[in-house]
Amino acid sequence: MLSLLAFALLATAFATPITNHVVHEKRSVAAASWSLSHRASPDSPLPLRIGLKQSNIDKLYDELLDISHPDSPNYGNHWSPQQVADYFRPGVETVNAVKGWLVDSGFEHQRMRLVKGGQWLEMNVTVAEAEELLKAEYHVYEHPSGRKHHACNSYSVPAHIQEHIELITPTVAFDALIAPPKRTVPFSKRKRSPLASTPVPGAAKGLGDPSSGNGPKLLPGSSGKLKGIITELEQCDEFITPVCLQTLYDIIYKPVSTHKNSYGITEFTPQSYLPADLDMFFKNFSKSQIGQRPNLISIDGGELQTIEESFNFNGESDLDLEYGMTLTNPQPITLYQTGDIPEGASFNNLLDALDGSYCTFEGGDDPTQDGIYPDPLKGGFDKPESCGIVKPANVISTSYGMNEADASLFYAQRQCSEYGKLGLMGTTILYSSGDDGVAGFGNECIFPNGTQGVGGTRFNPSFPGGCPFVTSVGATQVNPGSSVFAPESACEQVIFSGGGFSNFFSIPSYQKSQVASFLKNHPPPYTSAQFNNSGTSRGFPDLSANGANYVIAIDGEFELVFGTSASSPVVGSILTLVNDARLAIGKKPVGFINPTIYSEGFKDAFNDITTGGNQGCGTPGFTSAPGWDPVTGLGTPNFLKLLAKWLILP
C-alpha cells in the first residue's frame, strides 16, 4: 500500500509541471483617482489577453535610425506597411511556447484564440484561474466616475516563457480611457462655463472628456472673450494670430504639392469643431478659406457632436484646425475624429486605424484601457473596430496626453513601438508635452509611496511625449511688452511647458550628447527622489513653439487661449510645408525627424530659448538654458533654415 501510494504521489508530481516563476510586471506607482474596494470574487470572469513578443522588436530603433539619420546612406527609404507587418510578426516558436504553457497549466486548446495579426492570444478565464496561472492576487478598484476595475499589484510567468511575452491584461495597468459619466441623454443641452475645463480631482479622464486636463486653457477668472481682433505685429505679446507665427518662425511658403502631401490632426470625441467657428476665423485671417472643411476620417464612430457646444467641447478642435488649416493653406487637412460619444477612445484606437498590423479584431486592445468596438452602449458605434482604415498622413499632430504613471511599463512600451513602426513608414508623429510643467495633469505629482496627487514631490512626466519614437512639442511665449522680433522665453503665462525625464524609456542615442551637456553644465538642484537624474533617461520635449495668447474663434466669439495644444499643430504645419517642398522636387517626406533635428547639421535651424522655466510639484521645475533643455527642447523652428537643410538631404 505504501509503495502504491508513493508511486501515485510521484506520478502526480510528474503530471504537474514544476515551473520557476519570475515577476513579469509590478506596479510601482498607484493609478490616480482609483481606490481599493475589495478582494475580487474567485468566480468573476476576466478577459485575459496575452501580448506576444514581436519578432525583431529589439532591432526597431536601429532600423528606424538607419532610414532617419541624415548621415545614413538609407535616409528616406521608408518601409511599406507589409514590410513592417512581416518583420515584426511574432514567430511560430513564440506562439507555440505560450500555448504550451497554457496547456500545461490545464487550459484546453479550444479556449484559446490567436487573433488576427498574430500578436495577441486571448482566453476568457475566472479570477481564480488567472490568480493560479499568474501567481497574482486580484482586487476590485473603484473610480469616482463609478467604474470598477480588476487589477493586481504584480504577476509572474515561468522564466522560460518570459522572453515570449510582452504584457498580459488585465493585470497591473489602469484605464487610460474612462468613459464620460453616464447621462440621462448623451449630453445635457446646458451651456457650460469655459472655466469648467479646469480638471476636477477625481473626475473621469477620457482623452476627449472636458475633465481630462487636455485642451487649451483660459486666463483664470476671465471669460477670455475679446471685443475686437488685433492683427498688428506690434501686439503679438498680447494676441497671437497667424501673422505673428509666420513672423516668429519665418514661415514664407505657399504649398504647391497638395495632391501628394498629407497632414493629419487628431481629435477625441466628444471634442469637435464647429463649422461656423472655422468660417469666423477665416473671415478675419484667411478669407479665401471660408467654407473649407477638414477631410473627416471617422475612427470607431467618431463624429462632430453638436449637442453640447462650449469651450469644453469645441476649444481644442477649433484651435487645432483654425491654425493648422490657415498656416498650410491650401493644403487639405485630414481630421482623425476618434471614438464614439458613449465610450470614447484611446491612443491605441487611433493607432489601430493607422496600421492594420497593429490592431486585431476583438483582441488587439485592452478592454480595461482602450475603447472596445462594437460598442454595446446605447447610441454606440455598432460596427467592428476601425482597423487599418486609412493610410497614415505624412505628419500627424495630437494635442492630447496622459501621465506616464497611469500606464504600465509594458503597455507604454508596446504603444511606443508602434510609433516607431509608423516612423519606419515615413510618418512624423507629434505630441504636445503637457501644460503643467514637471507635474502631471491637474498638478498631480508622485508621493514617496507611489500614489499620485496634488502635493506629491516627485516629478510626473507625460506620455506619449516621453516615447523616443515621437517628437514632443513644448510651449514658448512672446514676453509681455516684448517685440515679436525679440527672443521668446518658455511659456509661463497660464500654463508651463511640460518637460523632464521619462521614468520608463531610456535615452536614445540621437539626444545623448545634448542631454549630457545640459545635466553637466546646468545641473538641476534636485535629487533622484524628485526626478530621474540618472542621465540615461529619455528627455523631453524635443522642440517647441508659441503656446500663449492664441486668438481663436470659439462658439461664435473670439477668445484667448494657452497651451502646448497650440504648439503641436503649429510645428506640424511647419513640417507639412517642408514636406510639400520636398515632394515638389521628387523627394520623400521627412518621416521620423528626431535623429535629424538633433544632428550637428541642424544645430542652427532652431531659435534657442534660454529663459523661463516649467515649475510644478512645489518647485521652480527645470530652467531653460543654451542648447537643449527639458523645458523647450532644442528651441523653436526657423522654417526657412529647416527648409534649406531638408532640401539638401536625399
Side-chain angles (χ1 to χ4, degrees), residues 189-201:
K189 295 190 177 183
R190 171 178 61 86
K191 292 277 186 179
R192 300 191 179 198
S193 164
L195 295 180
S197 63
T198 302
V200 179

Side-chain angles (χ1 to χ4, degrees), residues 28-29 347 400-407 412 432-447 452 457-467 472 497-505 528-533 537-541 614 616-617 622 630:
S28 58
V29 177
F347 296 130
Y400 297 77
M402 58 186 285
N403 295 345
E404 185 182 77
D406 284 338
S432 54
S433 67
D435 298 342
D436 295 274
V438 296
F441 285 110
N443 202 31
E444 290 188 344
C445 302
I446 302 173
F447 289 100
Q452 298 178 72
T457 55
R458 186 171 178 82
F459 300 168
N460 202 355
S462 68
F463 179 77
C467 166
S472 176
S497 178
F501 298 87
S502 171
N503 291 320
F504 281 179
F505 301 102
S528 59
Q530 290 170 284
F531 82 102
N532 189 340
N533 65 353
S537 173
R538 154 75 159 146
F540 71 98
N614 61 350
C617 302
F622 298 109

Side-chain angles (χ1 to χ4, degrees), residues 40-81:
S41 173
D43 58 356
S44 293
L46 282 181
L48 203 68
R49 285 168 170 78
I50 301 173
L52 303 177
K53 181 74 73 173
Q54 300 171 76
S55 297
N56 301 311
I57 201 67
D58 57 321
K59 301 176 184 177
L60 172 58
Y61 180 76
D62 290 338
E63 297 287 4
L64 186 56
L65 204 64
D66 184 48
I67 65 166
S68 304
H69 196 285
D71 295 336
S72 171
N74 290 319
Y75 179 83
N77 292 334
H78 304 136
W79 294 21
S80 69

